[in-house]
Amino acid sequence: MIEHFIAGSATPPADGRTFESRDPHDGTLLATVARGSAEDADRALAAARAAFDDGPWPGMTPQQRRAILYAVGDAVDAHREELAELETRDGGKTITQSLHAEIPRVAHNLRFFADYAAMAPNEAYPDGPLLSYTLYPPAGVVSAISPWNAPLMLATWKIAPALAFGNVCVLKPAPQTPLTAARFAELAAGAGLPEGVLNVVHGFGGEEVAGPLTTDPRVDRITFTGSSATGATILAAAAPNLTPVSAELGGKSANIVFDDADLDVAVPMSLRAIFGGNGQVCLSGSRLLVQRGIHDEFVARFAEEAAKLTVGDPKSHDTFLGPLIEQRHLDKVHGYVELAQTEGGKVVTGGARLTQGELSRGFYYPPTVITGLTNQARTAREEIFGPVETVLPFDTESEALAITNDSPYGLAGILFTRDLDRAHRLAARWKAGTVWVNCFFERDLRLPFGGEGISGVGREGGRYSREFFTEPRAVTLKIRG
Ligand code: NAD
């Protein structure tokens, strides 16, 4: 059984309950996992509290913590293949992506925030007899709740800054993908992370283990990545204690292609923006807006290339799209494709579950392209979180911007044009936390990351993470003359 990891040790569930983690490729049972309860949350929070109040971690210098976080990063590198295989089997992510993008990014998250905390500039204002400066003491105990779509990468996007700034954590990974978080906790302890600094509890939301992690007064910060609906529940749960919440939520991001774009860049990049990660990516460019002059040519090329993408066993290095995460999600994705057709949409390619050969045992869905919808269609407005692209034509820049911003979401935007004036103009008016011009998914971790509207509350990354995970304190000292 995969147990919780509390106070430096594998810990069985208090009430003995478990759940199963299965391979979405073929349904193989990968592990039985401790199903956390309120009592498990209580034990993890007690361990975290003790580590923060009485342990060495918060009092270490940033350089001392940096050395340990680097050692954890080295342990991740040393176990890259093992972690990548776990990630791929647990969540269906392609092995290429696990091995070459996500697990390396786990190590990068750790090293980046270790460096940032050790080297971040501070402010001091000598003003006559007064010397004023800012301290950044850690906030305390952090509840980190993460989703299944990029399990360890997103978990460490929270854990790394929290720990680097001197906090301690209780992590609850998504129940669909518990394996890498469990292994990571062992590796981190082996690399020298002190007892109780990182605790991992497994299980579900609501009244089970995750609920208490959002309502307990021993929690000083909640960092959450997941759906907008769960984000709203967590903000409400945190409100009575006034616990600060950082919430990174869903998206329905526009990808605008102007008729001056280099199509040799725009076509492959747009394919990657929706079908990379199987569309199970918060930042996906899931609303494709194409200027009318190139619309038909673009859609023909895009659909033709989409149909050629390899769907299959994510353990194969040739696979571009693995299975979707679970049956319920497959049903949801296909339900939207059916809905699109009742809303007037035309399925240009894809649109039906794949069941041939070995795909019959997994949750496989092909790259799907839908045209003919307006921006008012539910399919074009709601987050599908699967390999489904809706394509809308537009005539002018202002029309494209109006369609783009007519969304409750505001996570990301993607733009293909050779006109840099236009790019800057649109970036300034785009309702989105991130805008990419002629590229996708490039990230500088010093920049803010987050969303507007129902895509999130707050920002993380670089100094934004420091502000969230610390209690910035003003100190003023008067020098006697
Ligand atoms: P989800 O909201 O269903 O679950 C996320 C996590 O919250 C899981 O660990 C789950 O167990 C937990 N949870 C569920 N109910 C809870 C409750 N009441 N209290 C506390 N915790 C609770 O989301 P998901 O299906 O795992 O992930 C997909 C969603 O995440 C999509 O909407 C996607 O866009 C979003 N996402 C956003 C970002 C971002 O950075 N903005 C990144 C990745 C995924």
Side-chain angles (χ1 to χ4, degrees), residues 146 148-149 172 206 224-227 230 248-250 282 383 385 449:
S146 52
W148 50 262
N149 67 317
K172 199 213 71 69
F224 169 73
T225 301
S227 63
T230 307
E248 300 190 337
L249 309 175
C282 56
E383 185 184 46
F385 217 55
F449 182 80

Side-chain angles (χ1 to χ4, degrees), residues 4-6 13-15 17 19 33-45 143-145 170-175 199-216 218-219 234:
H4 305 307
F5 193 84
I6 298 175
D15 61 11
R17 291 204 304 159
F19 65 97
V33 184
R35 179 166 185 154
S37 59
E39 196 177 336
D40 296 315
D42 177 66
R43 292 192 296 182
L45 289 172
S143 285
I145 300 176
V170 177
L171 168 69
K172 199 213 71 69
N199 307 278
V200 180
V201 288
H202 299 283
F204 297 81
E207 299 303 306
E208 299 200 20
V209 72
L213 297 180
T214 61
T215 53
D216 194 291
R218 288 170 292 180
V219 175
I234 289 177

Side-chain angles (χ1 to χ4, degrees), residues 221-253:
R221 292 288 185 278
I222 300 166
T223 169
F224 169 73
T225 301
S227 63
S228 301
T230 307
T233 305
I234 289 177
L235 283 161
N241 293 327
L242 299 176
T243 310
V245 179
S246 169
E248 300 190 337
L249 309 175
K252 187 76 178 178
S253 300

